Amino acid sequence: MDHKDKPATIAAHAAGAIDPQSGGVVPALQPSTTFLRDEGYNLVRPDNLYSRPDSDNLRQAEEVIRRLEGAEETMLFPSGMAATAAVLQTLPNAAHVVVQAGIYYGTTAWVREFCTRRGLTLSEVPAEDLVAHCRAHRADLVHIETPSNPWLKSVDIAAVKAATGGILVVDATAATPILTRALDFGADIVMHSATKAINGHSDVLAGVLSTRDASSPVWKTIRNDRKMAGAILGPFEAWLLTRAMRTLPLRVERMSWNAQRLAEFLLAHDQVADVFYPGLPHHAGHAIAQKQMTGGFGSLMSVLVKGDRERALAVTGKLRLFLSATSLGSVESLVEHRHTIEPHTGIPENLIRVSVGIEDIDDLTADWAQALA
């Protein structure tokens, strides 16, 4: 495949992955944990020794994402949190970490505990203050999330990178590499929970890191730690991920199209107080999102219904097509009452997080209309 192929072509062809043994146009699943040596005890395949560091299925999935990101190297992990942890664990003692406030709480909670245990200085900074803070305070690592979950804050990646001398890690899970190639805007490392839209079928747990500089000391440490400590995605999960990514651009396009129209419908509804979605002109991060997101604004939004906790729960309980479940980015639409899940994080009791799927938009708007009635 030509290196200039567009994302839809890269994804549809799985970056050229096939099964050379059978001639199949679909790559084979290879679950073997160990690999043969010949009579001289040389490996039959020099790049396959043991499945912890060596897996054709892993390499195939990584190559698809690497090409989509425009990265120099990509590594898959067993979860998004494993990928996030892999970066933070490279920091020396007494390092200063800046983390965007109000991001995915799983990240926030783990980083707080990790920094306390390791004696690292942690600064949690609101999205709108990140650039000023990074200019005023030296940081070894800055971790941002754009658009953020569940507040849908947009952060100017290039501006933050220009303001810091530290490593910039961008969690772009809600955008996917189809809408935002964070490395193009200056990120040193981009992270995705591949469990979400990259896989998009609610059946694979995975995380991924990509970099524009595979020779950096930090990246070399991440690569070595993954190999030696064994934070490796299994071959079956990697195979499923490759299969799912063949339709990633189509899914993202449809989910973004649906989400934009649903957001506009809900914002105009008399039972809705506000909608947090970067595709809406009134959204505080709309201009930044326009600059960084190409082809849509993603599938994730948060809706503030008018009323209290009981009203929000009544709405989610009446929804038929929007399943009440924790996750985002899949083909099926989901809703989550965030205050029930994370009451300690300051989430409003009337906030409903919404992940918009690929269903017919008329059915989705009709479902919300009857639930809000």
Side-chain angles (χ1 to χ4, degrees):
M1 296 180 68
D2 188 271
H3 72 280
K4 295 181 180 179
D5 289 334
K6 300 292 193 300
T9 303
I10 295 167
H13 285 265
I18 58 170
D19 178 22
Q21 183 172 347
S22 69
V25 299
V26 175
L29 171 62
Q30 177 48 266
S32 183
T33 58
T34 192
F35 301 91
L36 281 174
R37 294 176 178 269
D38 62 19
E39 295 83 353
Y41 217 69
N42 300 303
L43 287 167
V44 174
R45 278 268 304 272
D47 57 341
N48 279 348
L49 167 64
Y50 187 67
S51 65
R52 175 160 44 81
D54 304 321
S55 165
D56 283 353
N57 293 118
L58 193 71
R59 296 185 189 109
Q60 288 160 353
E62 288 174 339
E63 179 62 9
V64 177
I65 299 172
R66 186 194 72 78
R67 293 277 302 278
L68 293 175
E69 292 281 16
E72 186 173 343
E73 188 172 356
T74 291
M75 287 188 282
L76 279 162
F77 294 79
S79 69
M81 283 306 305
T84 297
V87 182
L88 270 291
Q89 287 166 347
T90 67
L91 291 173
N93 291 338
H96 178 206
V97 180
V98 173
V99 173
Q100 178 184 336
I103 59 173
Y104 168 58
Y105 188 69
T107 298
T108 300
W110 183 83
V111 170
R112 285 173 180 171
E113 189 277 333
F114 176 76
C115 288
T116 299
R117 171 162 45 92
R118 282 280 305 278
L120 308 185
T121 301
L122 173 62
S123 300
E124 296 182 39
V125 182
E128 54 271 20
D129 298 332
L130 279 165
V131 172
H133 183 91
C134 288
R135 283 178 182 154
H137 303 278
R138 182 190 176 279
D140 296 283
L141 183 143
V142 179
H143 179 102
I144 65 175
E145 181 183 83
T146 184
S148 68
N149 170 20
W151 294 101
L152 281 299
K153 297 286 183 72
S154 297
V155 179
D156 190 323
I157 299 168
V160 174
K161 180 57 184 176
T164 182
I167 299 161
L168 177 59
V169 181
V170 177
D171 180 344
T173 296
T176 79
I178 302 303
L179 302 180
T180 299
R181 297 207 325 179
L183 300 178
D184 291 350
F185 293 94
D188 295 294
I189 297 173
V190 58
M191 192 285 292
H192 297 271
S193 171
T195 307
K196 311 304 192 295
I198 288 179
N199 177 64
H201 292 79
S202 298
D203 56 9
V204 170
L205 193 67
V208 63
L209 298 175
S210 298
T211 186
R212 55 194 175 98
D213 183 7
S215 64
S216 73
V218 167
W219 189 259
K220 287 180 178 179
T221 300
I222 294 170
R223 185 194 302 124
N224 186 63
D225 281 355
R226 187 185 73 152
K227 176 182 177 179
M228 301 306 293
I232 303 292
L233 189 68
F236 180 56
E237 290 79 9
W239 184 87
L240 280 175
L241 192 60
T242 299
R243 183 176 188 271
M245 287 190 293
R246 290 179 180 270
T247 60
L248 175 59
L250 281 173
R251 289 187 282 105
V252 170
E253 178 183 353
R254 178 58 175 264
M255 290 189 292
S256 297
W257 190 89
N258 277 354
Q260 182 71 38
R261 279 140 193 84
L262 181 63
E264 292 168 355
F265 168 82
L266 291 172
L267 186 63
H269 200 284
D270 62 7
Q271 293 301 305
V272 171
D274 203 357
V275 178
F276 304 153
Y277 185 67
L280 295 174
H282 86 294
H283 186 270
H286 179 63
I288 295 173
Q290 282 184 309
K291 180 173 68 172
Q292 293 181 168
M293 303 182 78
T294 302
F297 298 95
S299 65
L300 185 67
M301 71 180 72
S302 288
V303 180
L304 289 176
V305 298
K306 290 182 178 178
D308 54 12
R309 179 178 185 272
E310 286 66 33
R311 172 59 174 158
L313 287 172
V315 171
T316 60
K318 290 175 66 177
L319 287 166
R320 180 178 63 88
L321 297 177
F322 288 79
L323 308 177
S324 291
T326 296
S327 198
L328 57 100
S330 286
V331 292
E332 71 279 358
S333 292
L334 303 174
V335 292
E336 183 179 65
H337 183 244
R338 296 297 295 174
H339 190 268
T340 296
I341 304 299
E342 297 169 358
H344 51 286
T345 62
I347 296 293
E349 293 186 351
N350 61 331
L351 185 145
I352 301 172
R353 193 188 71 178
V354 183
S355 175
V356 183
I358 64 170
E359 303 93 337
D360 188 281
I361 186 59
D362 291 339
D363 291 337
L364 297 182
T365 54
D367 195 25
W368 270 91
Q370 63 83 23
L372 290 166

